[in-house]
């Protein structure tokens, strides 16, 4: 090994050590008498469930929300001091009632707006307006409802964080994705605008935009239960991102020191250069 190589390796090791100390310090903050509280929407599966596990491991008291009560209750039973609340983020009255139910907690420190989804892959010319409306409601209005309802508590914490899980679809278009792309552009704009409006307040606004993530449900839901079509999305791709990969990224951004705001973090698998450029190995 050359001297330059040893020096580079030493710097890399130092960087990892510094990052570990920063994460440990943030975790230590949550290990006192009153742990910090993180609310995660869409926590019944996929990225939401993985994020709940990762934040609990980092020392947060996690409040899980999703429509499927049985799933979040099962997950909450695995995590220390976790709560599960059945919730549809598109129902504003239900969201307001949920926010009020958190008054018993000493603080609400983090909101992870993860609930979302894609429905259909038809071109603009033949897309179903009902699908577009449903995607707008969950991906945009759901983020709006949750953020408006919890922002007073996040601000009052003196060190709040809002995470918006958008998508690379919120930054570039692709054929067959019109409704989802439009909705995720909306989520991106909420994060960008909110960050401007909260400048000077003790609240960070973080946007995490994943590319190709292989989860149990996303593509299957998009193709209305057609498992063959869902499988083709990932066919030949060496290691698409996992839910745990994205959860690790979200948790890393949240656990930075309070003065550090990760405005926008785009994360893709190495095999994906853009929404329309993916390296696939031969499947024959």
């Amino acid at each position: 090994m050359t001297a330059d190589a040893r020096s580079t390796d030493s710097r890399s090791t130092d960087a990892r050590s510094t990052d570990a100390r920063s994460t440990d310090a943030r975790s230590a903050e949550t290990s006192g008498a009153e742990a910090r509280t993180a609310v995660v929407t869409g926590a019944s599966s996929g990225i939401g469930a993985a994020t709940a596990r990762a934040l609990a491991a980092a020392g947060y008291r996690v409040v899980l929300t999703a429509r499927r009560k049985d799933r979040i209750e099962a997950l909450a039973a695995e995590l220390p001091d976790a709560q599960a609340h059945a919730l549809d983020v598109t129902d504003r009255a239900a969201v307001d009632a949920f926010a009020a139910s958190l008054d018993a907690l000493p603080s609400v420190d983090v909101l992870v707006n993860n609930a979302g989804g894609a429905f259909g892959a038809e071109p603009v010319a033949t897309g179903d307006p009902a699908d577009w409306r449903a995607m707008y409601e969950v991906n945009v209005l759901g983020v709006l409802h949750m953020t408006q309802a919890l922002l007073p508590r996040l601000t009052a914490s003196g060190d709040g964080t809002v995470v918006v899980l958008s998508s690379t679809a919120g930054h570039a278009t692709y054929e067959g994705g019109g409704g989802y792309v439009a909705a995720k552009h909306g989520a991106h704009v909420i994060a960008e605008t909110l960050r401007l409006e909260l400048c000077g307040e003790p609240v960070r606004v973080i946007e995490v935009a994943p590319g190709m993530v292989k989860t149990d449900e996303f593509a299957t839901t998009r193709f209305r239960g057609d498992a063959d079509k869902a499988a083709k999305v990932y066919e030949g791709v060496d290691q698409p991102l996992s839910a745990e990969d994205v959860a690790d990224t979200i948790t890393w951004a949240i656990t930075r020191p309070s003065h550090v705001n990760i405005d926008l973090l785009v994360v893709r698998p190495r095999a994906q250069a853009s929404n329309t450029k993916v390296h696939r190995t031969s499947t024959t």
Side-chain angles (χ1 to χ4, degrees):
M1 180 182 292
T2 66
D4 286 347
R6 286 194 297 270
S7 176
T8 300
D9 185 62
S10 175
R11 288 195 297 271
S12 178
T13 301
D14 289 346
R16 287 194 297 270
S17 298
T18 299
D19 186 61
R21 286 194 298 271
S22 179
T23 301
D24 288 346
R26 190 79 177 196
S27 295
E29 292 177 11
T30 70
S31 63
E34 294 294 350
R36 291 165 60 82
T37 299
V39 176
V40 182
T41 69
S44 59
S45 65
I47 293 170
T51 299
R53 289 189 176 97
L55 288 173
Y60 283 80
R61 175 195 296 110
V62 181
V63 179
L64 314 172
T65 76
R67 290 175 299 171
R68 293 178 290 187
K69 184 178 181 181
D70 57 333
R71 291 203 177 193
I72 54 173
E73 286 182 340
L75 178 55
E78 300 175 15
L79 306 177
D81 200 25
Q83 298 181 16
H85 295 259
L87 180 65
D88 179 351
V89 297
T90 68
D91 183 339
R92 183 53 186 260
V95 168
D96 288 341
F98 163 73
S101 77
L102 300 181
D103 287 348
L105 295 175
S107 66
V108 176
D109 308 279
V110 176
L111 167 62
V112 180
N113 283 300
N114 166 75
F119 313 119
E122 293 78 18
V124 172
T126 58
D128 186 343
D131 287 339
W132 283 56
R133 185 176 297 108
M135 285 186 279
Y136 187 83
E137 286 181 351
V138 69
N139 291 290
V140 181
L141 294 183
V143 172
L144 179 68
H145 293 330
M146 292 297 297
T147 301
Q148 287 182 336
L150 295 185
L151 192 55
R153 291 296 305 276
L154 292 164
T155 305
S157 76
D159 185 16
T161 300
V162 176
V163 178
V164 175
L165 192 75
S166 63
S167 167
T168 54
H171 299 269
T173 62
Y174 58 92
E175 293 172 277
Y180 184 63
V181 166
K184 285 302 188 182
H185 271 72
H188 161 64
V189 169
I190 288 177
E192 193 169 55
T193 305
L194 185 64
R195 191 178 303 113
L196 292 172
E197 293 171 347
L198 293 182
C199 187
E201 297 292 336
V203 180
R204 300 179 299 175
V205 180
I206 296 169
E207 179 185 354
V208 176
M212 181 181 285
V213 185
K214 186 176 182 179
T215 62
D216 292 337
E217 297 182 343
F218 179 83
T220 304
T221 299
R222 180 170 213 167
F223 293 109
R224 311 182 201 286
D226 189 324
D228 290 337
K229 282 187 178 181
K232 286 188 178 298
V233 172
Y234 312 105
E235 191 173 64
V237 178
D238 182 28
Q239 291 186 298
L241 296 178
S242 67
E244 289 72 23
D245 292 329
V246 181
D248 181 58
T249 300
I250 293 169
T251 302
W252 175 83
I254 291 171
T255 56
R256 295 311 84 204
S258 299
H259 70 288
V260 177
N261 195 109
I262 308 300
D263 284 15
L264 169 63
L265 200 161
V266 176
V267 54
R268 292 187 174 101
R270 183 171 58 186
Q272 183 184 33
S274 75
N275 289 345
T276 57
K277 178 70 173 180
V278 180
H279 175 72
R280 298 177 190 270
T281 58
S282 174
T283 58
T284 59

